[in-house]
Amino acid sequence: MGRWRDGHGELVVGEVRVPLEIATSYRARTKGLLGRDAVEGALLLSPAGSVHTFRMRFPIDVAYLDRRLRVIAVHTMKPGRLGLPRLRARHVVEAGAGVMEGWGVRVGVEVGVVSE
């Protein structure tokens, strides 16, 4: 797994590879998807245990990951919501609403992160 830096990479879910933006600095995590109309692929926030969608323009899928990158919860959030903190969550993946199911992201699945 290792440590990541702000940048880009790929989210790997089984045979599916998705473009990934990686946000690890405080500034990048705070900005997240704010001010955007959509997300290409997914956004990884690390470290993170909860998210909110205040001031967001579109609904998102949120996957909470433990330290081994195993999915512990997946939720769809509308704009203007506050997600409950997940005690075991160490990372959060955000993507456009409805896409994670097609990628195979569900509770118990282990994902991979390949950074550039």
Side-chain angles (χ1 to χ4, degrees):
M1 180 171 59
R3 293 186 182 244
W4 305 296
R5 293 184 179 197
D6 291 348
H8 294 88
E10 287 185 319
L11 179 71
V12 181
V13 186
E15 299 296 317
V16 177
R17 296 175 88 77
V18 178
L20 182 68
E21 183 178 338
I22 301 169
T24 59
S25 69
Y26 176 78
R27 183 177 180 157
R29 290 190 326 263
T30 302
K31 183 174 182 202
L33 297 175
L34 297 177
R36 301 186 197 187
D37 293 321
V39 59
E40 292 293 326
L43 171 68
L44 171 71
L45 304 170
S46 180
S50 67
V51 296
H52 68 82
T53 57
F54 299 120
R55 297 188 350 222
M56 291 190 65
R57 299 177 181 167
F58 58 97
I60 59 172
D61 282 349
V62 179
Y64 297 88
L65 311 176
D66 68 10
R67 61 186 172 93
R68 291 188 213 124
L69 301 182
R70 188 170 307 274
V71 178
I72 59 175
V74 181
H75 295 284
T76 299
M77 294 177 65
K78 295 178 182 177
R81 303 291 195 261
L82 177 63
L84 295 174
R86 305 291 172 185
L87 295 178
R88 292 182 12 238
R90 297 295 177 264
H91 319 282
V92 172
V93 176
E94 300 178 341
V99 300
M100 286 192 184
E101 184 177 354
W103 297 342
V105 176
R106 59 187 167 279
V107 173
V109 169
E110 191 169 312
V111 302
V113 173
V114 179
S115 61
E116 294 179 348

